[in-house]
Amino acid sequence: GHFNSDADIVIDCFGPGLWLLVKAPKNHQHYEKFIMEQVESLHMYGVVFNACEQTMKTIHIDKADLIPQAVPVFSGAVDLITLQQKGYAYIAW
């Protein structure tokens, strides 16, 4: 079978993954422009990007350092558990 376009997708960014959501001036990973454009494009299609506030504290990033598409959540790990309890499937890559 296949999924229709109504699937809700949330990408939880924590640990090293948080850099995906950090604006260029503070971003230590220097992702290619293409990658950042993909985040913007996916966001326009309704994909939600959650940013772990615990990781943000650890690497000294605040909300102003995040790209506009990022949604801060208290904990990426807790968010994953909460989403699974709501019926989301967990896929890691």
Side-chain angles (χ1 to χ4, degrees), residues 37-57:
E37 287 171 352
Q38 291 298 303
V39 172
E40 289 179 29
S41 178
L42 288 167
H43 182 263
M44 286 193 293
Y45 281 99
V47 174
V48 175
F49 290 87
N50 288 351
C52 173
E53 292 179 341
Q54 303 314 303
T55 301
M56 290 166 62
K57 286 179 190 171

Side-chain angles (χ1 to χ4, degrees), residues 30-40:
H30 304 293
Y31 284 108
E32 296 175 32
K33 191 171 180 226
F34 168 78
I35 297 290
M36 303 314 280
E37 287 171 352
Q38 291 298 303
V39 172
E40 289 179 29

Side-chain angles (χ1 to χ4, degrees), residues 1-2 4 13 20 27 29 34-35 39 42-44 47 51-52 61 63-65 69 73 76-77 82 84 86-87 90:
H2 65 283
N4 63 24
C13 298
L20 186 66
N27 198 319
Q29 294 299 319
F34 168 78
I35 297 290
V39 172
L42 288 167
H43 182 263
M44 286 193 293
V47 174
C52 173
I61 293 293
K63 291 177 185 177
D65 299 321
Q69 296 83 1
V73 295
T82 304
Q84 288 175 82
K86 290 179 180 177
Y90 173 54

